[in-house]
Amino acid sequence: MLIFVIFVALCFAFTFYLVVIYNNLVSLKNNVARNWSNIDVLLKQRYSELPKLIDACKEYMKYEQETLEKIVNARKTAINATETKDLVALSQAESTLKAGLTKLFGLVENYPDLKSNEAFQKVQTRITELEDSIADRRELYNDSVNLNNIRIQEIPDLFIARAFHFHAFDLLTFSKAETEDVDVKGEFKA
């Protein structure tokens, strides 16, 4: 009888251990989803601000249509990538968008009336704040992805992850060009 009680206790302990592992994996997966959702909200907010920025600039920047068109096209591509959760396409579109915005904000120096325009200043400030928030959320998302990906590769979590089809997530990375210093002087050369 004592052996049976020990056996049942061990089975219960083992089952409890497996349930704890499963619940931890579920928690990690949901953290990744929550952090992606936070990024998604900020991206949509920024995408909704971009037309306001373009409208404010169009009036003044008649000779910078190529820069404005790049931003509009990158915005469309980024929105599509966000909706399909294609992180590779999103990374490329975000890099293009960021480069376009950087160029645009640099070119604004040539347009003192635009630079002093209150609507432009508000939108520029809002977009800059959103950029900072996106960077913070991207870091949090990537940390969550790393934790998830490590756990589903470690034993004994690996066995539970495979049995219940937990999968790895992709990191949200941006191109090397986005992390390099911007050559603002080069933008003003004729």
Side-chain angles (χ1 to χ4, degrees):
M1 184 67 170
L2 181 61
I3 294 175
F4 178 73
V5 171
I6 292 172
F7 176 74
V8 169
L10 288 175
C11 286
F12 179 76
F14 182 71
T15 303
F16 181 75
Y17 180 65
L18 293 178
V19 168
V20 168
I21 290 173
Y22 177 82
N23 287 341
N24 285 336
L25 292 174
V26 168
S27 178
L28 289 170
K29 180 180 82 167
N30 288 329
N31 281 337
V32 171
R34 183 191 69 227
N35 289 330
W36 171 254
S37 181
N38 290 337
I39 291 172
D40 191 40
V41 167
L42 290 171
L43 290 174
K44 286 177 182 174
Q45 288 175 357
R46 187 182 62 181
Y47 300 152
S48 71
E49 293 293 329
L50 291 175
K52 296 174 193 173
L53 179 72
I54 298 300
D55 288 343
C57 293
K58 277 183 181 177
E59 185 179 325
Y60 297 94
M61 302 177 80
K62 296 184 183 357
Y63 303 107
E64 309 298 342
Q65 292 302 311
E66 182 182 333
T67 301
L68 298 175
E69 287 173 14
K70 277 185 178 178
I71 292 170
V72 169
N73 292 334
R75 176 185 176 263
K76 288 177 188 174
T77 304
I79 288 172
N80 290 336
T82 301
E83 290 173 355
T84 61
K85 296 184 181 178
D86 181 353
L87 294 186
V88 174
L90 179 62
S91 296
Q92 293 170 348
E94 282 294 318
S95 296
T96 304
L97 186 58
K98 181 94 169 164
L101 287 172
T102 301
K103 182 175 182 179
L104 177 67
F105 291 150
L107 290 171
V108 165
E109 298 298 320
N110 293 338
Y111 300 90
D113 291 340
L114 174 60
K115 189 177 174 184
S116 64
N117 180 294
E118 186 177 331
F120 174 81
Q121 288 176 351
K122 284 181 181 178
V123 174
Q124 182 183 23
T125 301
R126 175 75 175 135
I127 289 174
T128 302
E129 290 169 353
L130 288 167
E131 293 285 337
D132 293 341
S133 295
I134 290 167
D136 290 341
R137 298 292 182 192
R138 184 177 73 189
E139 183 179 349
L140 188 58
Y141 171 81
N142 285 340
D143 286 344
S144 296
V145 167
N146 277 328
L147 288 173
N148 179 76
N149 293 351
I150 289 168
R151 285 290 300 274
I152 66 171
Q153 294 175 11
E154 293 178 331
I155 294 176
D157 296 16
L158 171 73
F159 302 119
I160 301 292
R162 285 187 179 169
F164 291 99
H165 307 290
F166 287 91
H167 60 80
F169 291 93
D170 294 327
L171 294 171
L172 182 56
T173 57
F174 295 108
S175 72
K176 184 177 180 180
E178 185 179 335
T179 60
E180 292 176 349
D181 288 338
V182 177
D183 179 20
V184 177
K185 289 181 187 174
E187 299 296 337
F188 294 104
K189 291 181 181 175

